Amino acid sequence: MRILISNDDGILAPGLAALVNAVKDLGEVTVVAPDSHQSAASQAITVFHPLTVHRVRIEGAEGFTGFSVDGRPADCVRLAIRKMLPEPPDLVLSGINAGANVGAHVSYSGTVAAAAEARLCGIPAVAFSACMASGEVDFPNAASFCRMVLDRLLQAGLNGQDLINVNIPDESLGEPRGVRVVPQSPADLEEVYHKVSEHDGCEIYELRDFQFAPGEADNDVDSIAAGFISVTPLIVDRTCHPRLESLSECDFGGITRVQN
Ligand code: MN
């Protein structure tokens, strides 16, 4: 099996090394990752400058050889699939992100976006993130749970339509209590912008606290809070199918210009 691995925390991130080491016996692994931190890049791509690729050797006990790209996570994945790799990979993995990507975070996540880019290319993809509410992640430990989930997903069978988002609960909660297959939480974020100062007619705000507003249960947010690993299949088609149906009944009539 040919596996492409990327992330959004950058080529030097310990979560990437841990993931590479946790899956390297599954086949031929190629790492193509951003050369700098790209968290919250979402599925941005680089349009105003060419992309430079460097072959890099990451040293250490979990060292590996890979490629760094001065671009976004989505750039890395598409460039690798379409240009760099002699053949398309069978599977794309992203992570392990330092921090959970659940609920509204999924929209901002570069980790999930790297996997989503693979899914757009028709390649099954799994994104892995580890909650770090307590400030630390033991990545090799989190990676062992990612591998366990991946083995079960591979056993169940993955296809080119698959974009799976996996989150490991905070290690302060102890060993994960199990795996829950759950939807993404629709809950909004609590107030995240805080005014830190105001001077000379200028206000300064900082983005902090990514707490979720209380919402419904049985989703990715409440699963990891309860100490379970969450597994959420995502889609890239943003069409709202129920609204498509009801809006189709709206009579837009012929084309006319509205005069003001
Ligand atoms: Mn990140």
Side-chain angles (χ1 to χ4, degrees):
M1 181 162 55
R2 293 180 305 272
I3 304 173
L4 170 67
I5 304 185
S6 194
N7 75 344
D8 79 356
D9 292 337
I11 190 97
L12 298 174
L16 177 64
L19 182 58
V20 170
N21 278 274
V23 305
K24 64 185 179 188
D25 63 299
L26 286 174
E28 188 189 324
V29 171
T30 306
V31 178
V32 181
D35 66 358
S36 62
H37 208 126
Q38 297 292 330
S39 290
S42 186
Q43 210 160 337
I45 52 169
T46 302
V47 290
F48 293 119
H49 70 79
L51 295 169
T52 304
V53 178
H54 284 107
R55 190 182 180 87
V56 289
R57 172 74 203 158
I58 306 300
E59 302 296 342
E62 293 205 311
F64 61 90
T65 300
F67 298 90
S68 72
V69 179
D70 65 339
R72 306 292 199 161
D75 291 320
C76 294
V77 170
R78 185 166 289 266
L79 187 64
I81 291 172
R82 298 291 194 223
K83 294 289 175 194
M84 293 169 61
L85 296 172
E87 284 179 280
D90 302 302
L91 175 68
V92 174
L93 305 177
S94 180
I96 302 168
N97 189 60
N101 280 307
V102 288
H105 295 166
V106 171
S107 298
Y108 312 124
S109 168
T111 306
V112 173
E117 193 70 16
R119 162 63 190 81
L120 283 179
C121 297
I123 294 165
V126 186
F128 295 103
S129 303
C131 183
M132 53 183 304
S134 57
E136 291 285 319
V137 181
D138 176 346
F139 282 107
N141 186 48
S144 66
F145 296 115
C146 294
R147 172 61 190 265
M148 182 269 295
V149 172
L150 180 63
D151 282 346
R152 301 212 178 142
L153 289 172
L154 289 170
Q155 230 167 19
L158 290 171
N159 64 61
Q161 304 292 307
D162 277 326
L163 168 57
I164 314 282
N165 187 29
V166 177
N167 281 272
I168 308 296
D170 195 86
E171 60 193 43
S172 68
L173 300 173
E175 293 275 291
R177 294 168 63 196
V179 178
R180 278 185 181 168
V181 179
V182 282
Q184 180 185 342
S185 166
D188 193 9
L189 294 166
E190 297 276 19
E191 198 51 66
V192 292
Y193 289 103
H194 298 261
K195 190 190 275 191
V196 289
S197 64
E198 187 172 1
H199 56 86
D200 300 334
C202 162
E203 296 173 350
I204 314 281
Y205 292 89
E206 250 178 31
L207 186 64
R208 289 188 218 142
D209 305 333
F210 297 99
Q211 301 301 317
F212 288 98
E216 293 176 11
D218 287 334
N219 54 50
D220 52 1
V221 170
D222 85 292
S223 290
I224 63 163
F228 289 85
I229 295 171
S230 68
V231 173
T232 304
L234 302 174
I235 53 172
V236 291
D237 171 9
R238 295 198 185 183
T239 311
C240 175
H241 287 277
R243 191 67 180 120
L244 184 72
E245 207 168 299
S246 65
L247 209 53
S248 299
E249 288 160 17
C250 171
D251 181 11
F252 286 97
I255 294 292
T256 50
R257 201 181 291 274
V258 176
Q259 302 290 345
N260 286 315

